């Protein structure tokens, strides 16, 4: 006998399209009323399940965590309404998460690829430039269509942020990933790193704190989105304070990047750059904070509909996932009020449904 859920409230297919009459039958959505009566009726404003486009499942402060801790991370994201995760680098083998029907859908990027002794210990592959192309090829084959580069980090020799790898080698590495059918994203704090990545035909920019007016038309022309991870950028003042005595130039740079974070995100939005919501959960950022990231994007000046687009409507097709359509998996969240008018309603979701099963 079919498992049927009726969604009795408004269905927000997109920012501009609102429908009525949606059902889940054996885990699949349909706008056609079934002959049988529903087993359950859920009321509320229906949205596609949220997407955390920059998240780290299986990562803790010191590197890889065990399966119990990984499970807790995924469950924390689930109960926040995050039903699709693009893992943006993890030292753990999390394929088992993908086999669990009761956990969010997961797109793996493999491990971070960083420069030797130029990144947080235990998180990624730490290599020299001559090994970058082959390492990227390996991670492209091992992941789910994404590779994560650490584009810049502090260089203690210069006392400030600096590129991890020479620009030419980055171009060769990204070309190799594309040959393997994978897209590449890169951690970018500094201004010049974004230029290098755009020159190399990068597919996405993480953090993008160094965004400048010169970058905006290129991001639009090359269809390169940004994932600002503003809940993580909030840690910059603490980083600057800890580094200030030994690396004053770096501390000042990080402070300036933090001070301009909202202005730069708004400028990107107004220029037509695609923006997606990501928390950078893992390590020092707790999981389950997608609503906090959505609030941060709104505080930066994005209207509620644009924030929801960044976390749901546009984020899903960007990652190759369905939204709300006939035959799509019943991965939806329900809000008490219209989130386009009251974005704060995403903080306390009324219902969460994953693969046609009611989480709450």
């Amino acid at each position: 006998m079919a498992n049927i859920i009726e969604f009795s409230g408004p269905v927000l297919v997109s920012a501009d399209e609102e429908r009525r009459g949606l059902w889940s039958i054996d885990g699949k959505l349909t706008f056609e009323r079934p002959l049988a009566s529903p087993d359950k009726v859920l009321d509320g404003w229906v949205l596609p399940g949220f997407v955390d486009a920059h998240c780290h499942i299986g990562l803790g402060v010191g590197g890889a965590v065990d399966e119990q801790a990984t499970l807790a991370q995924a469950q924390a994201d689930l109960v926040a309404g995050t039903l699709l995760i693009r893992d943006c680098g993890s030292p753990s083998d999390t394929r088992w998460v993908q086999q669990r029907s009761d956990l969010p859908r997961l797109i793996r990027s493999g491990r971070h690829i960083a420069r030797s002794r130029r990144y947080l210990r235990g998180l990624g592959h730490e290599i020299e430039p001559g090994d970058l192309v082959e390492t990227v090829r390996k991670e492209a084959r091992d992941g789910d269509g994404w590779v994560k580069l650490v584009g810049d980090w502090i260089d203690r020799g210069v006392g400030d942020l600096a590129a991890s790898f020479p620009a030419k080698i980055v171009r060769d590495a990204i070309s190799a990933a594309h040959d393997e059918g994978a897209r590449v994203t890169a951690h970018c704090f500094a201004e010049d790193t974004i230029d290098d990545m755009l020159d190399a035909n990068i597919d996405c920019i993480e953090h993008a704190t160094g965004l400048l007016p010169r970058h905006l038309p290129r991001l639009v022309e090359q269809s390169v989105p940004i994932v600002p991870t503003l809940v993580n950028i909030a840690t910059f003042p603490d980083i600057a304070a800890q580094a200030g005595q030994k690396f004053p130039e770096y501390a000042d740079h990080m402070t300036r990047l933090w001070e301009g974070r909202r202005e730069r995100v708004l400028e990107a939005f107004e220029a037509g750059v695609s923006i997606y919501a990501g928390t950078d959960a893992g390590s020092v950022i707790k999981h389950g904070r997608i609503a906090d990231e959505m609030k941060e994007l709104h505080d930066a000046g994005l209207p509620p509909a644009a924030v929801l687009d960044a976390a749901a409507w546009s984020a899903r097709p960007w990652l190759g996932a369905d939204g709300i359509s006939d035959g799509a998996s019943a991965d939806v969240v329900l809000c008490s009020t219209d989130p386009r008018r009251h974005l704060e309603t995403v903080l306390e979701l009324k219902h969460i449904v994953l693969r046609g099963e009611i989480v709450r």
Side-chain angles (χ1 to χ4, degrees):
M1 187 173 180
N3 177 28
I4 302 174
I5 302 171
E6 178 180 352
F7 301 100
S8 62
V11 180
L12 300 180
V13 177
S14 69
D16 303 317
E17 184 180 356
E18 179 182 322
R19 297 185 64 170
R20 288 274 186 171
L22 179 69
W23 292 263
S24 167
I25 303 177
D26 288 337
K28 299 295 183 181
L29 295 175
T30 180
F31 287 102
E32 184 175 344
R33 180 183 293 275
L35 296 177
S37 298
D39 300 286
K40 192 78 173 179
V41 178
L42 300 182
D43 187 31
W45 294 74
V46 186
L47 288 162
F50 297 140
V51 176
D52 191 334
H54 185 131
C55 189
H56 302 282
I57 296 290
L59 173 66
V61 174
V65 297
D66 61 23
E67 288 195 2
Q68 184 176 1
T70 300
L71 176 61
Q73 292 175 345
Q75 289 173 333
D77 291 321
L78 174 64
V79 298
T82 297
L83 305 187
L84 175 62
I85 293 170
R86 181 184 63 151
D87 189 281
C88 227
S90 176
S92 300
D93 185 346
T94 55
R95 289 176 179 86
W96 65 270
V97 174
Q98 297 173 317
Q99 307 305 313
R100 291 277 298 259
S101 62
D102 60 337
L103 296 178
R105 298 180 187 276
L106 177 64
I107 297 171
R108 297 169 43 258
S109 297
R111 295 190 73 171
H112 303 72
I113 303 175
R115 184 70 175 267
S116 300
R117 296 176 295 281
R118 287 275 309 280
Y119 195 50
L120 298 170
R121 189 175 301 172
L123 269 63
H125 296 295
E126 295 192 24
I127 61 170
E128 288 302 298
D131 297 321
L132 182 61
V133 172
E134 188 55 38
T135 303
V136 164
R137 285 193 181 277
K138 177 181 180 298
E139 291 302 299
R141 295 166 185 166
D142 192 52
D144 300 326
W146 283 95
V147 175
K148 169 70 175 295
L149 300 180
V150 178
D152 56 30
W153 199 252
I154 185 172
D155 185 331
R156 289 167 174 79
V158 300
D160 197 5
L161 292 168
S164 301
F165 301 101
K168 182 183 183 307
I169 294 176
V170 171
R171 288 197 295 272
D172 292 342
I174 291 176
S175 177
H178 290 165
D179 287 345
E180 298 290 341
R183 291 184 279 182
V184 182
T185 193
H187 161 112
C188 297
F189 282 168
E191 295 83 355
D192 292 345
T193 313
I194 297 177
D195 294 293
D196 290 348
M197 294 300 166
L198 290 172
D199 288 344
N201 293 315
I202 195 79
D203 300 288
C204 183
I205 299 288
E206 308 300 317
H207 315 301
T209 48
L211 203 62
L212 295 176
R214 70 173 184 258
H215 300 131
L216 300 178
R218 296 192 65 189
L219 289 164
V220 174
E221 291 164 10
Q222 295 177 220
S223 299
V224 178
I226 64 171
V227 184
T229 67
L230 291 173
V231 294
N232 179 43
I233 305 311
T235 66
F236 277 23
D238 288 339
I239 295 171
Q242 293 171 25
Q245 186 172 357
K246 193 171 183 180
F247 301 108
E249 186 177 353
Y250 167 73
D252 180 65
H253 196 175
M254 294 295 281
T255 299
R256 286 185 283 108
L257 293 175
W258 173 76
E259 290 172 343
R261 67 199 186 284
R262 289 174 175 166
E263 178 183 355
R264 287 172 174 176
V265 169
L266 181 58
E267 288 173 349
F269 170 71
E270 291 177 339
V273 177
S274 295
I275 297 172
Y276 298 115
T279 65
D280 206 357
S283 186
V284 299
I285 304 297
K286 291 183 179 180
H287 285 259
R289 296 193 61 190
I290 191 63
D292 292 336
E293 182 66 20
M294 293 165 73
K295 181 181 183 301
E296 287 282 354
L297 290 172
H298 184 45
D299 289 346
L302 273 64
V307 173
L308 296 166
D309 203 48
W313 294 312
S314 288
R316 286 183 156 272
W318 175 60
L319 292 175
D322 291 326
I324 295 178
S325 61
D326 278 304
S329 179
D331 299 347
V332 297
V333 297
L334 283 75
C335 298
S336 298
T337 59
D338 186 347
R340 297 170 300 179
R341 297 178 179 273
H342 307 284
L343 185 61
E344 65 275 8
T345 190
V346 302
L347 290 165
E348 293 290 342
L349 294 171
K350 193 171 184 181
H351 298 290
I352 299 169
V353 178
L354 175 66
R355 297 180 176 92
E357 296 294 330
I358 299 172
V359 177
R360 78 157 182 254

